[in-house]
Amino acid sequence: MDTLETRELRYFLAVAEELHIGRAAERLGMAQPPLSRAIQQLERRLGVLLLVRNRRGVALTEAGEVLHQEARVVVDAATAAARRTRRAVAGDDGSRTRLVLAVKAGDSHDLLRRLLGAYSAEPDAAEIEILPSGTCEQGEMLRDGRADAALMHTPFNSLTGFDSEELLTEGQIAVLPARHPLAARATLTLAEVSDIPDLPLARWARDGVHPPGPGPAITDQTQLAQLIALGRTVAIHPDSARAWLWTEHAAVPLIDGPPVVTHIAWPAHSRSLALAALVRTATRCTDAPRPDPSA
């Protein structure tokens, strides 16, 4: 049979990610024997071996690796469909359709402020919920339905799989403690910022993993702001991040930092009229003529 059920794909994903039947069963809130039987039944239906069992746990076969990637896409799509469907229904109590906009905390503040102000004046505007995110989380939020649209920044974010409109291009700044000697410089280079002995670069998670390095692992914007103010780290941000700086911070332009382009991105298959209106408003906020995304 070529038809797979979402439930059995969720079972398989738990095992593929834990690489241990017992831990996967605990994660799913079920007993181990029925989970093992479900995986074995899935293997029989597909006619391939998905897992190699051993004393330490399990390992994915080549076929299992393929299903791991494909199953994640299917499960995320199913989850996204449920989440977006619930948000799309206006309530009998007069509540509006709701759209969730994912944004990187602290960046594009002025653009976001103008966008929300302009969109709220639109007839039949949906309710906008702002979902703050880390450096590279917006794409995952779009894929699994936590967000309907996102402000994403190239070259840091990948736009693969999404439709998008370019909104803003800006330079980059180093955000340092205001009392640090380099804070008095007119400009800095990426090499200089990356090699400050007493001020290691902050490390944001990418795909849930913090890159190696001596700098602190950052989980939210408030934590980052405090650590910079205390003289424990330095960070690189788009120029628009000046909006959240404290008096204890200094912003120094990077002369060789690649331009940061802010886009509004959304799932390529979306047919939401409310989302199309939000995208139109976003492009108008940049004072540049853009094509109609709903056309």
Side-chain angles (χ1 to χ4, degrees):
M1 295 179 63
D2 292 331
T3 302
L4 299 175
E5 298 179 2
T6 304
R7 174 184 55 82
E8 59 188 353
L9 291 180
R10 291 184 189 277
Y11 287 177
F12 174 74
L13 279 175
V15 176
E17 290 167 1
E18 297 291 342
L19 293 178
H20 193 278
I21 297 291
R23 290 195 299 267
E26 183 178 356
R27 167 175 156 181
L28 292 166
M30 63 187 298
Q32 183 172 334
L35 177 59
S36 294
R37 289 195 295 270
I39 298 300
Q40 290 166 0
Q41 181 181 8
L42 177 60
E43 289 177 319
R44 287 195 297 270
R45 289 179 58 204
L46 292 174
V48 296
L49 186 66
L50 299 172
L51 305 172
V52 176
R53 284 87 171 164
N54 55 52
R55 292 182 179 180
R56 291 177 296 177
V58 299
L60 294 176
T61 65
E62 185 175 350
E65 292 282 4
V66 171
L67 184 59
H68 184 200
Q69 299 300 319
E70 298 289 344
R72 172 51 60 197
V73 174
V74 172
V75 170
D76 281 350
T79 302
R83 287 170 169 165
R84 292 194 176 106
T85 298
R86 294 190 189 103
R87 292 198 293 265
V89 179
D92 295 334
D93 59 356
S95 60
R96 296 173 292 168
T97 297
R98 184 163 57 95
L99 293 175
V100 177
L101 177 63
V103 300
K104 181 185 174 184
D107 289 352
S108 304
H109 176 78
D110 184 62
L111 173 63
L112 180 60
R113 178 185 57 78
R114 287 185 282 122
L115 167 58
L116 295 177
Y119 182 69
S120 66
E122 291 286 325
D124 301 320
E127 176 187 353
I128 301 296
E129 176 185 337
I130 300 300
L131 181 60
S133 70
T135 300
C136 295
E137 295 178 341
Q138 302 99 312
E140 187 64 28
M141 290 174 171
L142 286 179
R143 280 187 285 271
D144 68 15
R146 282 176 289 168
D148 301 290
L151 294 185
M152 300 175 71
H153 311 276
T154 57
F156 307 113
N157 298 125
S158 172
L159 299 173
T160 302
F162 305 121
D163 284 339
S164 65
E165 286 287 346
E166 182 178 321
L167 302 180
L168 175 69
T169 300
E170 57 187 322
Q172 296 191 61
I173 56 173
V175 183
L176 307 99
R179 295 184 179 182
H180 194 278
L182 289 179
R185 291 274 298 273
T187 60
L188 288 168
T189 66
L190 285 170
E192 288 172 324
V193 173
S194 301
D195 191 29
I196 306 175
D198 58 339
L199 211 60
L201 271 170
R203 295 180 295 124
W204 283 99
R206 293 177 181 269
D207 300 321
V209 178
H210 286 89
I218 302 301
T219 56
D220 62 62
Q221 193 70 31
T222 301
Q223 175 197 25
L224 175 64
Q226 185 173 32
L227 289 175
I228 294 174
L230 291 172
R232 300 302 178 92
T233 192
V234 60
I236 295 174
H237 278 276
D239 190 76
S240 57
R242 294 175 185 270
W244 60 262
L245 298 189
W246 300 358
T247 56
E248 294 95 334
H249 298 154
V252 181
L254 293 173
I255 58 174
D256 59 347
V260 177
V261 183
T262 300
H263 305 253
I264 185 168
W266 63 96
H269 61 270
S270 176
R271 296 295 181 269
S272 167
L273 296 178
L275 176 58
L278 178 66
V279 174
R280 284 196 300 270
T281 303
T283 55
R284 285 202 302 269
C285 284
T286 63
D287 297 323
R290 305 285 181 178
D292 186 344
S294 64

